[in-house]
Amino acid sequence: MTTASHGDEDVRAADVQVAYGSISGRDIAFRPQLDYKGRVSPTEIPVAQPLAKLDHAADLATPEAAAAALRTFFRIADAWDLGNEQQRQLLGCGRSTFYEWKHGRVKRGLDGATLERLSHVFGIYAALQVLLPIPERAHAWPHRDNSAPLFGGKSALDRMLAGQVSDLYVVRQYLDAQRGGWS
């Protein structure tokens, strides 16, 4: 029998055992048994392993990533019942580019401004799903008049369509604050 020294007393390895239980006849460890002073043998303490390091980060500038992001945007736009011109304004792109994207023809990655706009739209959509779990209400909210000072009696969609990335940002920030902050 081996002993391990802990402070001024010796603890025998036999005194520190793992408690076992059985589920469907298989033994599983619940927790290490402690000695009478609440100590565990150092060999019984599980050690956290480092996470595997990623070889590479996801490249958001690829045409495939752009196409996936745009498909998501167009599904959200359909749920919100947005017209083509409204969708184009939210994306902040030209007419010909918009129709290329709408038909799934994405030749290169998206620029930073478009990615930022998409990020805000996705955040707005996600926040609405949390705040209004009934899909019909969540999808109707952008169109409804809002008495919050940020909207001045107009709808959130009116604010989002004002044309600036900052307009999308403030709507997202408002919704995140309503649901209790970032998460």
Side-chain angles (χ1 to χ4, degrees):
M1 195 172 304
T2 62
T3 60
S5 180
H6 290 283
D8 34 329
E9 294 184 22
D10 289 338
V11 178
R12 294 181 308 164
D15 293 337
V16 181
Q17 297 178 1
V18 176
Y20 287 94
S22 177
I23 296 177
S24 303
R26 300 171 79 180
D27 288 335
I28 57 170
F30 289 119
R31 66 188 191 298
Q33 281 191 347
L34 305 175
D35 69 359
Y36 68 95
K37 289 195 174 188
R39 292 180 293 207
V40 178
S41 167
T43 59
E44 298 292 327
I45 299 172
V47 178
Q49 298 297 319
L51 294 174
K53 191 172 182 177
L54 295 176
D55 292 335
H56 63 283
D59 186 4
L60 297 177
T62 64
E64 295 79 18
L70 290 168
R71 282 192 304 272
T72 302
F73 171 80
F74 290 124
R75 282 195 293 268
I76 291 171
D78 286 342
W80 286 349
D81 197 29
L82 301 179
N84 286 339
E85 190 58 29
Q86 292 172 319
Q87 293 175 39
R88 192 180 70 73
Q89 282 181 280
L90 286 179
L91 287 171
C93 64
R95 188 176 307 278
S96 61
T97 302
F98 170 76
Y99 284 106
E100 288 289 317
W101 290 348
K102 184 124 183 175
H103 293 294
R105 294 186 291 265
V106 181
K107 296 178 179 130
R108 59 180 173 266
L110 301 172
D111 63 1
T114 304
L115 286 172
E116 185 177 359
R117 287 173 175 274
L118 289 172
S119 173
H120 292 313
V121 170
F122 297 165
I124 291 166
Y125 182 83
L128 287 172
Q129 301 309 303
V130 172
L131 289 168
L132 303 167
I134 299 170
E136 294 80 22
R137 290 183 182 171
H139 300 325
W141 185 87
H143 296 278
R144 297 186 60 196
D145 291 341
N146 196 317
S147 61
L150 175 69
F151 304 112
K154 295 183 179 180
S155 71
L157 186 58
D158 289 335
R159 178 69 190 252
M160 292 188 301
L161 294 174
Q164 301 299 316
V165 174
S166 61
D167 294 312
L168 293 167
Y169 172 76
V170 295
V171 173
R172 180 180 185 178
Q173 189 177 33
Y174 170 80
L175 290 170
D176 285 336
Q178 293 300 311
R179 68 184 180 92
W182 297 91
S183 61

